[in-house]
Amino acid sequence: MVAPPNSGSIFYNYKGTHSIVLLAIADAEYKLVYTDVGRNGRISDGGVFKRCSFAQALRENKLGIPVPESLKNRITPIPYFLIGDDAFAMNANLLKPYPGTQLTGLHRIFNYRLPRTRRIIENVFGKPEV
């Protein structure tokens, strides 16, 4: 993108180009449930999420997220959650990869499998109409 006149470095992102940020949340059926577009590229993805109305509603428990449930043949209730990448801050309803390179076997497996679920949002924008 070409930065607006007199905008200085506000749209200048970490990749060295000018941009605006599109934050999108999709469900497992490729349906967009939330979008936020137009924040300047200088703000990180995690910063955009932290400031968006969806995150505010999540923090205030206003989204109607069901109470945690036990998975089939399990006892411990598991909360419903979003999947994010390293840019996001983890909380009770947002999972992200374990940081670092010196990880245990289970943490490496988790980090391998977690991004596979994030492909949903990536495919939302590239999935042809059916």
Side-chain angles (χ1 to χ4, degrees), residues 47-64:
V48 170
F49 180 72
K50 183 179 178 181
R51 293 173 177 89
C52 78
S53 60
F54 187 94
Q56 180 178 347
L58 182 64
R59 286 188 299 272
E60 295 172 0
N61 200 23
K62 293 182 177 179
L63 294 175

Side-chain angles (χ1 to χ4, degrees), residues 97-118:
Y98 286 98
T101 56
Q102 304 297 318
L103 302 174
T104 67
L106 289 176
H107 290 168
R108 279 196 319 270
I109 292 169
F110 179 85
N111 281 4
Y112 171 76
R113 291 183 177 165
L114 189 70
R116 292 168 52 190
T117 61
R118 282 198 343 256

Side-chain angles (χ1 to χ4, degrees), residues 70-90:
S70 298
L71 299 175
K72 186 177 179 180
N73 299 320
R74 304 287 182 186
I75 297 171
T76 306
I78 304 295
Y80 287 81
F81 52 85
L82 301 168
I83 304 294
D85 61 19
D86 291 327
F88 296 88
M90 191 166 67

Side-chain angles (χ1 to χ4, degrees), residues 1-4 6-21 38-45:
M1 80 171 256
V2 176
N6 304 316
S7 63
S9 64
I10 195 166
F11 289 90
Y12 198 71
N13 65 35
Y14 72 97
K15 293 181 178 180
T17 61
H18 293 92
S19 65
I20 58 173
V21 178
R39 308 259 181 171
N40 65 66
R42 188 171 184 178
I43 301 174
S44 70
D45 293 347

